[in-house]
Amino acid sequence: MLASRSTDVITLGCRLNLAESESIRALAGDRDMVVVNSCGVTNEAMRQTRAALRRVRRERPLAEIVVTGCASDIDRAAFAAMPEVDRIVPNAAKLLPATWGGFPNHQPPRRHARAFVGVQNGCDHACTFCAIPRGRGSSRSSPVGEAVARIAALADAGVQEVVLTGVDLTSYEGGLGTLVESILVAVPALPRLRLSSLDTIEIDDRLFDLITGEPRVMPHLHLSLQSGDDLILKRMRRRHARADAVAMVARLKARRDIAIGADLIAGFPTESEAAFANTLALLDDCTIVHAHAFPFSPRAGTPAARMPQVDPSIVRARATTLRSHAADRRRAWLDTLVGSTQTIVVEKPGDRGHTPAFAAVRLPRPLPHIGACADVRIVAAADDHLIGIPA
């Protein structure tokens, strides 16, 4: 149940939205308002946004209901027609003080285990399945000095881990490696820096050296792979080949034990059984332990929506197969961590956290300091998390 007579922000979708929601919460102040910061990456995300708006109206019948984010930018007319929606705020305006009345809330930010800092927005690429450029616009980046100052302030406030986020993070103007190096040099008090989704083709030598050689950069990468078949990658208009992804992961893991995550789409138009088998095999070939596997859903207005579609039942079955194999790989990886000592940042309500490689950890009883680092000994593994005790 949402609190009454206060501003609530509901976040759907990516880590960039999480970062932006914190700014919206501060700018909106204490008002009888609910902001739904939406996601439009799939048809299911659009459906979840509509469902959230209907639920909010039932729970807060007198509140002002505002929708922002990619879903409402992509299909503004549909959301404007919803009786639950009082106002639509374009993505381009959602971080402007004037949008929320020009009176920022000066209370200290809420303490979280990690802080998400958006440093890049928009995308200049044209993947055939993606509607996000319509919601986010062209690529643009925060200046290095501005990003460093924000992260320094978070570190001064006691934040132990910062996650850099963006729609196309590796397209950061001036080079993501330059930004990462600047943060590490200028903010020595920050223990942990994590990178959100990366495009393998844009990991240059400078960024590669930092990922593999800097202990404060967490050994966990989430890669935007999408498919393991070269023909499908071409039809997606991706800029890498299968061999590029496999080679990059091999190079990374030769230098450091890095946990690999990836986005993978099952049932892209024209995907044959052999093409799907190549994607399924990519889980093993790239040692993927954090997989986000999605059934393809055609987005209106995208080139992929006009391509010959795979039967929906086959799409669903392939997604299930991908997820099942990914879950097996994840469990096997978690088993290898039993007996080790891991450092976590304690998350609410105090009985959980994540290792540097982003394995979830559960504790038998809460620890006292949310947001602090703690060493835990891993004593067992469940299907999707580790079980630890204070070391």
Side-chain angles (χ1 to χ4, degrees), residues 11 13 16 32 42 56 70 91 123 143 154 197 206 361 384:
T11 307
L16 181 58
D32 191 10
T42 63
V56 166
C70 291
N91 254 333
C123 184
L154 289 165
S197 185
R206 189 175 198 177
V361 178
D384 62 354

Side-chain angles (χ1 to χ4, degrees), residues 16 36 77 86 128-129 137 170 210 240 248 285 310 348 354 383 390:
L16 181 58
V36 176
D86 294 313
T128 58
F129 56 84
T170 35
L210 290 165
H240 71 274
M248 175 55 72
D285 294 343
V310 177
K348 293 179 180 179
H354 284 81
D383 285 343

